[in-house]
Amino acid sequence: MLRFHPPGFIDRTLETSLGQLVYYTTEQPAPSPSPAMVFLHSLGGGSSAYEWSRVYPAFAAEYPIFAPDLIGWGASAHPVREYQVEDYLTLMQEFLQQVTSVPAIVWASSLTAGLVIRLAIQRPDLFQTLILVSPSGYGDFGSDYRRGLSAQLAGIPGVDRLLYAVGANNELAIRNFLQQFLFAQPDRISDELVAAYLASAQQPNAEYAALASLKGNLCFDLALYMGQLQVPTVLLWGERAWFSRPETGERLASLNPKVVKAFLKIPDAGVLAHLEVPAIVIGLIRGQLSQPGA
């Protein structure tokens, strides 16, 4: 899916324990003393590294950039399996250890951001700073996503494939999902954006990773982990995020105020603020990285 990434970036591959992973990086290496910046996309139907393609070019002159399509998504391998939390913890650890210089500055969003927090607790040596957009385990503070209708239907054999075909595997469904749940302003959704999501959703066996997320296989209570985090963290939250409200983010931040260096609300933005209003996200994070000790 290199065609959806900016000029000056190339795709490379890494053999992981789950299969071949494709990642995108700068054609010309950035200055070596700089820490690597790693951009990890969310885990919803059609997700891929494209999600960060409007942000990472702004940092490419200063940092080595790495943006993988996680296994089960984008151009990476799509093994037929019941994906679990440990699969992605292992995958992210392998990627950071084998491809990037560590400790790295890691950007992540949504459920992936929640998983990054768990990995950072296990392996703080891999991380310099976390920049997280709307992190969630979708079971936070005792809520249980798996009891909801979507998760219940996605757990029924046959119905799950129908849900994916109707709800994620066509252009109309992709555009509707972006408009209804991910973006605050529908006019920010370009044809290219829809095409990138559709290309990822239509990869062979793409339904396995997407349905694992929809069924709740990857869900957990992030509140149980937040207080154990030791890596300096910046949280960004679209004020109109639909899946996980800013109020939940503030509660999570309050569990570890010494580690959460900033909680930044982004007006008139949804859960993927970095894709919807990238210039604002870039400006906010530049301000954070310029501070002493960042």
Side-chain angles (χ1 to χ4, degrees):
M1 294 178 57
L2 181 60
R3 69 186 186 276
F4 294 112
H5 292 264
F9 288 82
I10 58 175
D11 55 353
R12 297 190 182 278
T13 60
L14 171 70
E15 290 297 332
T16 75
S17 58
L18 290 177
Q20 188 176 79
L21 179 144
V22 174
Y23 64 95
Y24 308 90
T25 188
T26 44
E27 194 167 7
Q28 298 296 326
S32 57
S34 302
M37 273 193 173
V38 178
F39 294 80
L40 301 174
H41 63 79
S42 56
L43 302 176
S47 294
S48 72
Y50 173 82
E51 180 185 308
W52 288 103
S53 63
R54 298 177 180 179
V55 172
Y56 63 66
F59 298 92
E62 305 150 83
Y63 301 90
I65 301 295
F66 302 91
D69 286 337
L70 297 174
I71 295 294
W73 308 90
S76 291
H78 291 66
V80 175
R81 61 185 292 121
E82 282 284 331
Y83 292 84
Q84 303 293 333
V85 166
E86 288 301 324
D87 292 328
Y88 286 106
L89 295 181
T90 299
L91 178 66
M92 292 187 294
Q93 180 174 316
E94 289 178 2
F95 185 79
L96 289 168
Q97 289 179 313
Q98 297 179 40
V99 175
T100 72
S101 58
V102 293
I105 299 172
V106 175
W107 303 59
S109 62
S110 196
L111 181 56
T112 306
L115 294 171
V116 165
I117 288 173
R118 290 184 57 170
L119 180 60
I121 292 167
Q122 297 175 13
R123 292 293 308 274
D125 56 301
L126 300 178
F127 302 89
Q128 176 176 302
T129 304
L130 302 183
I131 302 170
L132 307 179
V133 181
S134 304
S136 179
Y138 293 110
D140 308 336
F141 298 103
S143 65
D144 192 348
Y145 162 83
R146 287 167 291 193
R147 292 182 181 176
L149 179 61
S150 296
Q152 294 293 315
L153 290 174
I156 302 173
V159 175
D160 54 354
R161 299 301 188 272
L162 179 62
L163 277 177
Y164 189 77
V166 173
N169 199 20
N170 63 84
E171 182 177 348
L172 180 62
I174 290 285
R175 189 178 293 275
N176 182 67
F177 187 72
L178 291 166
Q179 290 177 347
Q180 297 297 320
F181 300 109
L182 300 188
F183 274 54
Q185 296 293 341
D187 60 0
R188 296 170 179 161
I189 301 170
S190 66
D191 290 342
E192 178 195 82
L193 193 155
V194 173
Y197 270 73
L198 185 60
S200 179
Q202 291 185 336
Q203 295 296 308
N205 298 323
E207 68 271 21
Y208 287 91
L211 288 171
S213 180
L214 187 61
K215 287 187 290 187
N217 289 6
L218 309 177
C219 294
F220 58 95
D221 188 343
L222 183 56
L224 300 178
Y225 296 88
M226 199 68 193
Q228 303 172 52
L229 184 64
Q230 299 177 9
V231 177
T233 298
V234 175
L235 300 182
L236 299 98
W237 226 281
E239 287 191 342
R240 294 175 62 185
W242 193 87
F243 292 108
S244 183
R245 303 296 300 165
E247 295 78 15
T248 301
E250 290 173 328
R251 288 182 69 187
L252 289 169
S254 71
L255 297 176
N256 202 334
K258 292 184 178 179
V259 163
V260 178
K261 302 303 181 182
F263 183 89
L264 306 172
K265 286 186 185 179
I266 304 177
D268 198 29
V271 68
L272 299 181
H274 49 296
L275 188 56
E276 187 171 4
V277 287
I280 294 174
V281 170
I282 291 166
L284 288 172
I285 296 306
R286 281 202 177 280
Q288 291 295 315
L289 294 176
S290 67
Q291 295 184 13

